Amino acid sequence: MNNETLATVYHGIIIHSLDIGNLEFIRNGLLAVHPDGHIAFLERDVGQLVKEHLFIIFSYSQVVTLSKHQFLIPGFIDTHAHAPQYVYAGTGLDLPLLNWLSTYTFPRESAFSSPTYALDVYKRVISRFLRNGTTTCAWFATIHLEATKLLVDVIRANGQRAFVGKVNMDTCGPDYYVEKIDDSVKSTRDFIQYVLDSEPDTSKSSNSSNTAKPTRLVTPIITPRFAVSCTAPLLDSLSTLASEHDLPIQSHLSENPSECELVQSLFPHCRDYTSVYDHYKLLTPRTIMAHGIHLSSEEIAILRDRGTGISHCPNSNFALQSGVCDVRRLLNAGVKVGLGTDVAGGYAPSILDAVRQAMTASKACKIQYLARAEERVERDPDYNVLTIPEVFYLATMGGAKLLNLEDVVGNFVPGKEFDALLVDVGVADGPIDVFDHDTTESLFEKFLYLGDERSLRAVWVKGRRVAGSSNSDEF
Ligand code: GUN
Ligand code: FE
């Protein structure tokens, strides 16, 4: 350990996922973060002698000793959210998807033609998501180039790690909120250039002695809204743009039965909804598809074969009456899965809420199967609901894998970047009561079910503190 180059050393309980079934509780951990934001080392079961002399051993570093009700966890990863829709989150949840889009979404999103309005909203939504512990987010913006650039600026200023997409839609929208194909492609090109030029990729030129290289904070992502709102030539152009610039892609897939029927009628030459995206070469290992509720086994096999993953957005799926996504079935088939809030189809700007609703959705699946025995036998005779380790994995490492950031964030493996949350279940006037019988495991579980932004004393991205309920200088 070369302590001269260490910025901060944390000592205490550290919890992270090593794999989907492997949640590690480190009771006496020591985690050091380099000044450049990389994790230098993670020691387990630190001896009493080291514990007593931390301030001497790490005299060149800031040493932070966590209290017994505090622990470090990796930052949450929201793999699907709509930044402009935050203005009406918690309202307008009385309609199913297609009516919801035309009644609430399109009128609200069209207001982002005003950069002043966009700037105000985007500052508030990014701050809110960071306070809720979302250190990485895959964002949909609107069709507007200027407003979407502002979203990137706000994200960078606030220090969130993000994928940001200018939304593309050249058909089936109202007159006041639809693009011409040429404008759609040109402004997407301009947007990509803006994001890439305004934050040069340092990962190739770094001379850091560390093996891990710094990564970009904001990445542009190709964002056809969904197959309904894009013509075939636009889908073609967008897949070309994605491959030209080697970019990720995000969209919506198989969310609502009426939507699925509409897609089938718009693309009769394709066998199913998934095949539409596949036909236009939009299913890549870097593609994130939101929802994926009503998929056939053939469609799931296509996703698996292409390396495309699903953003599971249970709050939205319940709120818009879309259906219940069977995550177990996707996992069993080898499809990557992460969690998403889908604000504002989902009303909560918090991955903790997504964790809870993913649990409920999984139980709803089991209840449905128990009631329909023939489906249960066909799909999974020993249907197991998702477990706490599994859902926590989806909220952190699963999201990182879905975004192809598994070498950068998601857990505390040395060399990764320090995107982390300092959880305090004992925070005064907080949402959790601690009892004598509580263990580290039960407090962690209570945090997942009962915690909120008050429980997050500090939120870090790349080692930089970006939010948190603590006013203390310590964090
Ligand atoms: N499908 C197309 N657009 C949207 C959207 O904004 N939200 C959700 N949930 N589904 C969509
Ligand atoms: Fe969505």
Side-chain angles (χ1 to χ4, degrees):
M1 291 180 211
N2 174 6
N3 63 17
E4 287 176 36
T5 58
L6 303 179
T8 313
V9 179
Y10 299 93
H11 173 251
I13 303 168
I14 298 166
I15 305 169
H16 68 164
S17 289
L18 294 174
D19 206 340
I20 187 152
N22 193 353
L23 179 63
E24 187 181 29
F25 285 83
I26 303 170
R27 265 156 247 278
N28 215 347
L30 203 56
L31 187 152
V33 182
H34 270 298
D36 70 3
H38 281 100
I39 298 168
F41 62 77
L42 172 61
E43 298 282 329
R44 294 158 174 88
D45 303 320
V46 178
Q48 190 61 27
L49 204 61
V50 173
K51 227 166 104 177
E52 280 164 16
H53 295 93
L54 282 177
F55 288 91
I56 299 170
I57 300 171
F58 299 106
S59 55
Y60 291 93
S61 310
Q62 186 196 3
V63 176
V64 177
T65 301
L66 308 188
S67 75
K68 67 177 182 181
H69 294 148
Q70 295 180 334
F71 46 85
L72 283 180
I73 61 171
F76 291 134
I77 298 183
D78 187 341
T79 58
H80 182 80
H82 300 258
Q85 295 178 15
Y86 179 60
V87 294
Y88 67 99
T91 68
L93 296 171
D94 55 335
L95 297 173
L97 178 67
L98 297 175
N99 293 334
W100 175 81
L101 284 173
S102 53
T103 308
Y104 303 113
T105 308
F106 296 154
R108 288 283 174 213
E109 287 194 12
S110 73
F112 285 71
S113 56
S114 159
T116 331
Y117 175 69
L119 185 60
D120 172 54
V121 174
Y122 286 157
K123 281 181 181 167
R124 294 209 250 173
V125 65
I126 298 308
S127 158
R128 175 67 64 190
F129 273 60
L130 281 173
R131 267 181 283 156
N132 277 285
T134 297
T135 49
T136 300
C137 190
W139 291 111
F140 278 57
T142 60
I143 64 172
H144 311 102
L145 175 61
E146 286 314 312
T148 309
K149 287 181 181 173
L150 287 172
L151 176 57
V152 172
D153 297 347
V154 170
I155 289 171
R156 283 206 187 112
N158 285 273
Q160 191 181 48
R161 189 187 298 276
F163 287 5
V164 178
K166 189 215 87 74
V167 170
N168 300 99
M169 42 195 291
D170 72 333
T171 185
C172 293
D175 292 345
Y176 63 83
Y177 194 52
V178 69
E179 307 166 288
K180 296 217 174 357
I181 179 169
D182 292 347
D183 297 337
S184 184
V185 175
K186 180 175 184 318
S187 55
T188 304
R189 266 188 201 287
D190 291 350
F191 176 68
I192 295 167
Q193 221 51 58
Y194 176 77
V195 183
L196 297 181
D197 291 352
S198 53
E199 185 189 342
D201 191 349
T202 48
S203 64
K204 290 172 187 96
S205 58
S206 167
N207 55 8
S208 160
S209 56
N210 218 350
T211 46
K213 307 288 188 233
T215 52
R216 62 167 50 258
L217 201 59
V218 181
T219 304
I221 181 164
I222 299 295
T223 306
R225 178 168 214 121
F226 63 157
V228 173
S229 59
C230 298
T231 58
L234 179 58
L235 293 175
D236 254 336
S237 304
L238 293 176
S239 73
T240 305
L241 268 182
S243 66
E244 262 175 26
H245 296 270
D246 191 20
L247 292 178
I249 297 168
Q250 62 183 353
S251 193
H252 297 88
L253 169 65
S254 198
E255 177 177 4
N256 165 292
S258 307
E259 171 212 19
C260 296
E261 277 173 31
L262 182 55
V263 170
Q264 198 65 79
S265 71
L266 292 169
F267 297 89
H269 57 288
C270 294
R271 190 184 61 184
D272 46 47
Y273 196 163
T274 303
S275 302
V276 174
Y277 293 128
D278 199 33
H279 182 82
Y280 295 99
K281 302 191 169 47
L282 288 160
L283 300 182
T284 76
R286 301 192 70 190
T287 302
I288 308 153
M289 282 292 165
H291 308 296
I293 304 172
H294 311 283
L295 297 171
S296 67
S297 302
E298 290 78 15
E299 290 180 281
I300 291 178
I302 297 176
L303 294 177
R304 194 245 345 270
D305 292 349
R306 302 291 177 263
T308 290
I310 292 290
S311 172
H312 175 46
C313 306
N315 185 319
S316 167
N317 297 344
F318 287 124
L320 299 185
Q321 309 157 54
S322 302
V324 187
C325 178
D326 187 345
V327 170
R328 176 67 70 207
R329 182 171 173 234
L330 295 172
L331 293 174
N332 284 349
V335 175
K336 292 185 287 187
V337 181
L339 295 184
T341 57
D342 195 23
V343 159
Y347 53 78
S350 158
I351 286 295
L352 277 177
D353 168 86
V355 161
R356 293 160 201 166
Q357 304 234 13
M359 282 294 191
T360 302
S362 182
K363 289 169 185 171
C365 279
K366 177 139 190 177
I367 292 166
Q368 281 178 344
Y369 291 159
L370 289 177
R372 295 204 302 261
E374 71 289 355
E375 220 172 279
R376 185 165 121 235
V377 171
E378 185 193 313
R379 289 194 176 177
D380 185 353
D382 307 311
Y383 194 90
N384 291 320
V385 296
L386 295 174
T387 62
I388 288 279
E390 286 175 326
V391 178
F392 183 70
Y393 172 90
L394 298 182
T396 54
M397 265 315 286
K401 281 208 170 135
L402 178 54
L403 304 187
N404 292 285
L405 290 174
E406 69 269 31
D407 295 332
V408 183
V409 291
N411 64 13
F412 295 131
V413 169
K416 291 197 186 188
E417 298 186 8
F418 188 65
D419 286 15
L421 312 179
L422 192 141
V423 177
D424 189 345
V425 288
V427 66
D429 300 322
I432 298 170
D433 283 303
V434 179
F435 294 91
D436 285 347
H437 70 264
D438 273 316
T439 59
T440 302
E441 285 81 358
S442 73
L443 290 177
F444 174 68
E445 202 170 334
K446 281 188 174 181
F447 163 67
L448 291 184
Y449 276 107
L450 303 170
D452 62 28
E453 52 185 89
R454 289 168 292 177
S455 320
L456 302 180
R457 301 294 279 168
V459 178
W460 295 274
V461 174
K462 285 178 176 254
R464 172 185 168 200
R465 188 186 190 279
V466 292
S469 62
S470 167
N471 296 320
S472 140
D473 285 345
E474 198 180 15
F475 308 127

